């Protein structure tokens, strides 16, 4: 849980740092949604472990939680890749415009 809070704080600081860029309201909404997903995942994993009766049950809980974390990480990576590609396109357009002005 501390890990997710730490990551959330880092993400908030990065958004605050880049406040002038992008759409603040949309970024904030997306971050809150991601935090809610993380909290729900942690609660689900917690209840799974609490209801476990033996080590194989706990292992199953761990595997389920790990799969969910990997899914969330894949979504995050996809979004980052899309943003990077958008930025590359913008930079290429700027470069093209600068070359035309010369």
């Amino acid at each position: 849980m501390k890990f997710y809070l730490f990551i959330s704080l880092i993400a908030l600081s990065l958004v605050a740092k880049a406040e002038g860029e992008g759409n603040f309201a949309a970024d904030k909404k997306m971050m809150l949604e991601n935090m809610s997903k993380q909290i729900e995942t942690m609660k689900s994993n917690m209840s799974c472990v609490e209801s476990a009766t033996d080590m194989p049950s706990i292992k199953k809980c761990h595997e389920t939680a790990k799969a969910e974390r990997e899914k969330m990480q894949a979504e995050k990576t996809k979004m980052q890749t899309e943003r990077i590609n958008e930025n590359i396109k913008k930079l290429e357009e700027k470069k093209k415009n600068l070359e035309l002005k010369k």
Side-chain angles (χ1 to χ4, degrees), residues 6 8 11 14 27 38 40 42 52 67-68 70-71 73 82 89 92 94-95 102:
F6 178 72
S8 299
L14 291 175
D27 291 343
Q38 291 171 351
E40 287 301 316
M42 292 296 291
E68 187 63 31
E70 289 173 351
K71 178 183 168 189
Q73 183 62 40
E82 289 172 358
K89 287 179 184 177
E92 288 174 349
K94 284 183 181 181
K95 181 179 177 183
K102 288 182 180 181

Side-chain angles (χ1 to χ4, degrees), residues 3-48:
F3 174 75
Y4 288 113
L5 288 173
F6 178 72
I7 296 299
S8 299
L9 289 174
I10 288 174
L12 283 173
S13 66
L14 291 175
V15 169
K17 196 175 200 182
E19 212 174 69
E21 301 173 12
N23 185 349
F24 176 75
D27 291 343
K28 181 179 175 180
K29 179 181 176 187
M30 181 180 60
M31 288 180 66
L32 290 172
E33 288 173 358
N34 289 338
M35 284 184 220
S36 294
K37 286 180 189 176
Q38 291 171 351
I39 290 169
E40 287 301 316
T41 301
M42 292 296 291
K43 285 181 179 179
S44 174
N45 188 40
M46 193 167 135
S47 67
C48 182

Side-chain angles (χ1 to χ4, degrees), residues 51-100:
S51 65
T53 56
D54 54 8
M55 283 307 288
S57 305
I58 290 178
K59 186 175 181 179
K60 179 79 172 163
C61 295
H62 174 72
E63 291 170 357
T64 304
K66 183 178 179 182
E68 187 63 31
R69 283 192 309 270
E70 289 173 351
K71 178 183 168 189
M72 290 169 67
Q73 183 62 40
E75 290 173 4
K76 179 181 174 184
T77 302
K78 180 182 174 188
M79 289 175 53
Q80 288 174 337
T81 303
E82 289 172 358
R83 281 188 179 176
I84 289 170
N85 289 335
E86 288 174 11
N87 288 338
I88 289 171
K89 287 179 184 177
K90 288 178 184 177
L91 289 172
E92 288 174 349
E93 287 177 19
K94 284 183 181 181
K95 181 179 177 183
K96 186 178 178 181
N97 289 337
L98 288 173
E99 289 173 353
L100 290 175

